[in-house]
Amino acid sequence: MDESTAARSTAKAASPSRAAEPRLTTGALARRLGVSPTTLRSWDRRYGIGPAARTDGRHRRWTPEDVTMLETMCRLTASGVPPAEAARAAKQQADQAAVRPPEGIAPPPPPRSLLVPRPVPAPSSGEDGGPWAAAPGTSASAAARQDGRGLARAAVRLDAAAVGEQLDTAVIRYGVVTAWQEVMLPTLHAVGRKWASSEDRYIEVEHLLSWHVSTTLRRHTRVPAAPVGSPGAGPVLLACVPDEQHTLALEALNAALSHRGVPTRMFGAAVPAEALATAVRRLGPAAVVLWAQARSTASLPLAEQIAALEWGVKGARSQPLMMLGGPGWAGRPSHGMRRPTGLPEALDTLAAAYAPTPPGEPL
């Protein structure tokens, strides 16, 4: 037992009320944190970040203080802090909590090295990526993949605070497009695969992650300060086809368009056909995006009906650019409607539809 563990053990023994506190087994704690029991034993062996006390027979039993220390360890490693450094910080924080300072004296702050974000590449052009500068030789994709793994671990732990913080950090670091493509979407797919292969386990993880992704995208959606398109240009209308409930990709597109200064009208999931047609006639949109996640919901007749709608005075009628988004449209004839291969292409096409480049000017 090292000095840190001994200090925590002594502090616990000094408090009679702690004796009756519930204690978790290693397996129960592993399920709570979303890590394997082997990982907990490895951390105990390598870094001394184990329970301060054990029962007869050397069985590990984890107190609430131990759990708090391990949650700190998980949050730090998920944010990219090396395990050895994370363990030292987690134990230091646990020791400070065990030995409370005199009233009126603030506890010392955490090590500065844990407060300074690691350098990351600057975001792609056209997006606000925050104050972090690019690190020489650092790959944006590699850094984003590491952030995605940390996000997945936080989601499996059902650590809502960490999930929200890491999603916000990803958008600030990389911009909406890269955060969606390299962090959010791969993590959603990974959690979905884990759920599909584990006999309905982890459904709660997928729901928690989806809710926080949606919340983050909406929080980072801007309201355009002033119209930048051609005179009379309508907004971009975003909607899911009837019976389609998946909206996250549209929410990512909505947020990315707002960073381009393109106004949108987001109608969300399962928009009835009649309501969609009415909205197009009322708004006169520059473009309409219809999202279909599943082939069973993708209605080509509906898309053609919306694409054929016209508005305006006689002799100067207008029609929207029609874009079909989502895997549900795969293999369907597009009949002149746009089928982007990804978020960047959709973003560029819609921005150009809202504010077309005048003849003779460079693209």
Side-chain angles (χ1 to χ4, degrees):
M1 181 183 296
D2 62 20
E3 292 181 2
S4 176
T5 304
R8 298 200 312 275
S9 181
T10 301
K12 291 175 184 177
S15 177
S17 63
R18 302 247 172 113
E21 287 181 338
R23 299 185 176 189
L24 296 177
T25 64
T26 297
L29 179 58
R31 288 190 293 273
R32 175 169 173 171
L33 297 177
V35 300
S36 69
T38 302
T39 297
L40 294 180
R41 298 187 188 100
S42 174
W43 285 352
D44 186 5
R45 184 175 65 255
R46 293 182 180 181
Y47 312 119
I49 189 163
R54 301 172 191 266
T55 62
D56 294 339
R58 306 293 293 171
H59 293 296
R60 294 173 174 84
R61 290 294 184 269
W62 305 80
T63 66
E65 290 83 2
D66 297 327
V67 174
T68 299
M69 180 176 62
L70 264 298
E71 288 174 340
T72 301
M73 174 79 171
C74 288
R75 279 194 294 272
L76 291 174
T77 55
S79 64
V81 177
E85 185 177 352
R88 285 194 296 271
K91 288 192 290 184
Q92 180 181 352
Q93 182 174 318
D95 292 342
Q96 291 169 356
V99 182
R100 297 182 181 275
E103 187 174 352
I105 299 179
R112 177 171 175 77
S113 62
L114 300 180
L115 300 177
V116 179
R118 68 183 186 275
V120 295
S124 56
S125 175
E127 291 192 74
D128 178 8
W132 288 289
T138 303
S139 164
S141 294
R145 283 195 297 271
Q146 180 178 339
D147 288 346
R149 288 192 290 270
L151 175 62
R153 289 193 291 268
V156 170
R157 296 197 309 271
L158 302 182
D159 189 340
V163 169
E165 180 181 352
Q166 291 182 48
L167 286 168
D168 270 330
T169 300
V171 174
I172 294 169
R173 282 178 171 170
Y174 309 114
V176 173
V177 174
T178 301
W180 169 254
Q181 292 192 135
E182 303 288 348
V183 180
M184 298 178 185
L185 190 57
T187 305
L188 287 164
H189 286 166
V191 170
R193 288 193 299 270
K194 195 173 185 68
W195 164 55
S197 63
S198 59
E199 299 180 353
D200 289 339
R201 291 178 59 200
Y202 299 103
I203 295 177
E204 71 283 2
V205 176
E206 186 174 27
H207 279 252
L208 178 84
L209 179 60
S210 297
W211 189 87
H212 279 282
V213 167
S214 176
T215 299
T216 300
L217 290 170
R218 295 185 192 194
R219 183 161 52 242
H220 289 275
T221 299
R222 300 171 176 173
V223 177
V228 297
S230 57
V236 172
L237 191 154
L238 309 171
C240 289
V241 296
D243 300 321
E244 180 57 70
Q245 299 295 330
H246 296 81
T247 65
L248 290 181
L250 273 188
E251 291 177 46
L253 177 58
N254 186 48
L257 284 169
S258 77
H259 284 242
R260 291 280 191 98
V262 178
T264 63
R265 296 295 186 274
M266 174 62 155
F267 288 87
V271 182
E274 183 177 348
L276 180 61
T278 299
V280 170
R281 293 191 188 97
R282 292 182 60 185
L283 291 171
V288 175
V289 181
L290 279 185
W291 182 267
Q293 184 74 18
R295 187 177 178 84
S296 59
T297 64
S299 171
L300 194 59
L302 171 62
E304 292 172 338
Q305 173 191 343
I306 299 301
L309 291 176
E310 296 181 339
W311 60 86
V313 298
K314 187 175 182 180
R317 306 284 283 174
S318 299
Q319 290 180 288
L321 179 145
M322 193 68 191
M323 179 176 287
L324 306 179
W329 301 105
R332 303 288 182 91
S334 59
H335 299 305
M337 295 177 280
R338 302 297 181 88
R339 285 285 312 280
T341 57
L343 180 56
E345 182 184 343
L347 183 60
D348 290 342
T349 300
L350 294 171
Y354 176 70
T357 303
E361 289 194 11
L363 294 174

